[in-house]
């Protein structure tokens, strides 16, 4: 079982000496859907959005991937923010996720296994024989 105290044991961001560009690229990925799925990254687009150079974006992506703050499946242009890092920085959201995962499973009762009851209107519709034209 994981708790927020376990998540806070990861390395705090301030100990990683990230540059402003690296922080910007990380935030850009988070804001553009890179937290819950992998996103296609165009360094030129990020450079324009973050007001920096393309080479700086490439350097930032490389360093963030080396630190494992972001994940890159293979040799692709797809990136994803490391969820463990994100939730360690947002313990309130981490606790919500933990609570949701620890919630009890749905347990069907005896009524759930019985056939559905039909309404009087459904029964009447089934009894009517309509002529075929």
């Amino acid at each position: 079982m994981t708790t927020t105290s376990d998540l806070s044991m990861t390395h705090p961001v301030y100990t990683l000496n990230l540059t402003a560009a690296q922080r910007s690229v990380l935030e850009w990925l988070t804001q553009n859907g890179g937290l819950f799925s992998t996103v296609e990254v165009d360094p030129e687009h990020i450079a324009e959005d973050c007001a920096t150079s393309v080479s700086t974006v490439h350097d930032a992506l490389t360093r963030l991937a080396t630190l494992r703050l972001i994940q890159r499946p293979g040799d692709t242009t797809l990136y994803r923010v490391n969820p463990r890092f994100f939730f360690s920085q947002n313990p309130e959201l981490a606790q919500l996720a933990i609570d949701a995962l620890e919630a009890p499973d749905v347990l069907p009762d005896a009524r759930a296994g019985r056939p559905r009851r039909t309404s009087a209107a459904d029964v009447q519709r089934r009894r009517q024989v309509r002529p075929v034209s």
Side-chain angles (χ1 to χ4, degrees):
M1 176 168 63
T2 307
T3 63
T4 52
S5 61
D6 294 337
L7 291 172
S8 63
M9 298 302 289
T10 60
H11 300 285
V13 176
Y14 65 85
T15 64
L16 302 174
N17 293 324
L18 297 179
T19 65
Q22 291 163 357
R23 288 177 184 265
S24 294
V25 170
L26 185 59
E27 183 63 21
W28 187 94
L29 286 168
T30 302
Q31 294 298 317
N32 287 280
L35 178 60
F36 298 107
S37 64
T38 55
V39 292
E40 184 76 31
V41 170
D42 178 11
E44 292 178 6
H45 181 69
I46 297 176
E48 184 179 317
D49 277 359
C50 296
T52 189
S53 70
V54 175
S55 63
T56 301
V57 172
H58 281 290
D59 291 344
L61 289 170
T62 301
R63 174 113 196 277
L64 293 171
T66 301
L67 292 170
R68 292 195 279 181
L69 293 175
I70 60 175
Q71 300 167 327
R72 180 180 182 192
D75 194 24
T76 64
T77 58
L78 298 172
Y79 289 89
R80 178 180 182 205
V81 175
N82 183 337
R84 184 180 188 116
F85 159 73
F86 178 80
F87 286 120
S88 71
Q89 302 304 306
N90 299 283
E92 302 83 22
L93 292 176
Q95 191 59 51
L96 287 173
I98 290 167
D99 292 345
L101 293 172
E102 291 179 349
D105 195 13
V106 175
L107 184 61
D109 61 1
R111 182 176 174 181
R114 285 188 261 158
R116 291 186 63 189
R117 288 178 51 188
T118 54
S119 68
D122 285 338
V123 170
Q124 179 136 2
R125 262 188 247 126
R126 288 183 186 154
R127 287 186 186 163
Q128 287 181 342
V129 177
R130 297 187 182 160
V132 179
S133 48

